Amino acid sequence: MAERATRDLAAQFEDEKPGRVLSGPAGLLLTAAALAVGALALWQVFRPLSQGSKYYLIIFLAGVLPLVFLAYPADLRLPTRLRARRRPASARPTVTDWVLVVLAVAACLYPVLPIRIGSGGGGYNAFLDRQGLLAPTDLVLGTVLLLLLLEACRRTTGWILPAVCLLFLGYGYYGGLLPQSWPVAHAGLDFSQLVDAFYNSDSGFYGTPLDVAASYIVLFTIYGAVLELSGAGRFFVELSAAAFRRSRTAAGRTAVASGFLLGTVSGSGAATTVSIGAVTWPLLRRAGYPPERAGGMLAAAGVGAILSPPTLGAAAFIIAEYLGVSYLQVLGWATVPTVLYYLGILLAVEIDARRSGVRPVVIDVGSPWRLLARFGYHFASLIAIIVFLAVGVSATRAVVFAILLAVALSFLDRTHRLSPGRLVTALVTGVRGVLAVTAVCAAAGIITATTTKTGLGPQAAALLIGGAQAATSDPTLVLVLTALLAAVALTLLGLAVPVTASFVIGWVIVGPALLDLGVTAPAAAMFVFYFAVLSEVSPPTALAAVAAAAVTGGRLVPTMWQTLRYALPAYLIPIAFVITPAGLGLLGIGGVQRIAFAAVVTALSVAVLAVAAGGWLPGVGPAGPPERVLGALAGVTLLWLEPVPVTVGAALAAVAAAGVFVRRAGRSSSGSPANPVEEQL
């Protein structure tokens, strides 16, 4: 029952979870359709459809989009604070839902049906031959699919993303009416041209984002469901607790370690936050953490799931497709920043424990070695993914092999063995977990196709660079200002739309600006990716913080600010990717010497920033306002990974540390305890 309650709570804050629990004929239909979609996705890995990938995407969308209207109710999404008062969604689809299901099937399958409908229809090849010259039937059904995708996004993510899509649609249609002297003006597109771009081109509904959802994300959601049902999630939490059970900061360390371990298989920030919170919040409460501070820690640790290899968020797969690189390379780029991110959270935990007088707690768990000996096989499938990728196996085949391995190993635990019935549950759960992201990825085609057709990307890049050049003509400062403006823009964008859509929009708008200034494609892509992810911890929306507050019962706004404090290094590290060539070392690019230099210096920066934010130097004592200001300046300066700034930053950090020592000596000479909180511990 506790596990079911945790899943239900996670579903309130996670767009990839359906809103209805269906029963009866509707439930059977959804289960059968989800099984068919899952089987098709697995079959496609080894026996691709002979008609090509676009044909598969059409079939996949025809299987998934109707399920969205069954699984998600049509009611409006209320503000989070009102969700507890809302009536539960009806478990039965309405007549309107069934009508939308039929329309979705018709609009999605129309391009491949070998049936003549007036001057349209006629099968897949005939449909492709009409590219640029749509028949009236093509135009009608393309418009229907456009409206259905907007409604699917509204049901799963709220009004903002459909509004953004409509804004791009309006720009494509009315952009020709803008004064031609404006940089963003274009020749204008009529409605049939727009529908053709969306419905019958490789950059529209069936573009890269949907390809990623249908080829990668669905497989990883199935893999995550298999691991969850095999007991891996509980094992990771228990192992974290066992590893730190004798530490004075055991509760906080357990929360952070659990977030990292669960994040390696989750790829979902809010859901991971709820999962670790359900287990570790009682420990944090016993240790004396206020609800808001505990919530901030849980949210920051949970969001790391989207940054943690080997199952990064959906946008990471899009990076691999956009840049034409292997997914293993993207994992390599994410490794050092992930370690630095969790280093910052762990340091903040240690500082909070000493500054706030957190009590040690006794965690009643066994030896970590005994747990590893009994259940360590849960790591095997994770390691297998990396090994398969390293030897050249494609990401899709690697995850399928990992699924098979996890299923086989589940029989080592009688309680969690994946019998045929539980295996069906895992497959259906995995497919249901990809419904919302599929709607978002297909709708993202509206944005990418409009941007491609109108040339908005280069125009927006020119505006962004022009804004920076208006302030300075120095090339280095132009790059820095452009990066800062891009960071602000991406953060604001991420407040309104899901991570995947935020990345797609950011890449087509901000990406060209960074590339034009000489930033390498990996650095630009990871820069956009990280700021898209950070929307989950950025006030005033901060979805992961909202989920954490629901677990701890803490006040929402203070929880958001505590989350921001814990995640602070993540906002600054991506800047280092792009402003200096040495920053590529953080992405594992440029040789051992560059990687080591960048990692060590940035780790020092993270540590200094943690001291500045927490107001405490571990092992010494409290830091006053002057030391904290110096520490903040030192941390930011160190991120400029060049010899002179690094030297200056290290000197500032040393002065700040010396100030803390002097402050401690002054307290000792006055007769007061130098470190009263640590004496309590």
Side-chain angles (χ1 to χ4, degrees), residues 572-590:
L572 299 175
I573 291 174
I575 302 291
F577 295 169
V578 300
I579 59 175
T580 63
L584 291 174
L586 294 174
L587 301 178
I589 300 173

Side-chain angles (χ1 to χ4, degrees), residues 138-186:
D138 301 335
L139 184 61
V140 170
L141 288 172
T143 303
V144 169
L145 184 54
L146 168 65
L147 296 175
L148 289 171
L149 286 172
L150 293 176
E151 169 62 10
C153 287
R154 185 196 69 78
R155 290 186 179 214
T156 57
T157 67
W159 284 101
I160 300 298
L161 181 56
V164 171
C165 291
L166 288 173
L167 180 64
F168 274 82
L169 181 64
Y171 170 72
Y173 188 74
Y174 292 107
L177 302 179
L178 296 174
Q180 292 302 303
S181 59
W182 289 16
V184 294
H186 60 87

Side-chain angles (χ1 to χ4, degrees), residues 256-270:
V256 177
S258 299
F260 172 72
L261 291 176
L262 284 178
T264 60
V265 299
S266 170
S268 168

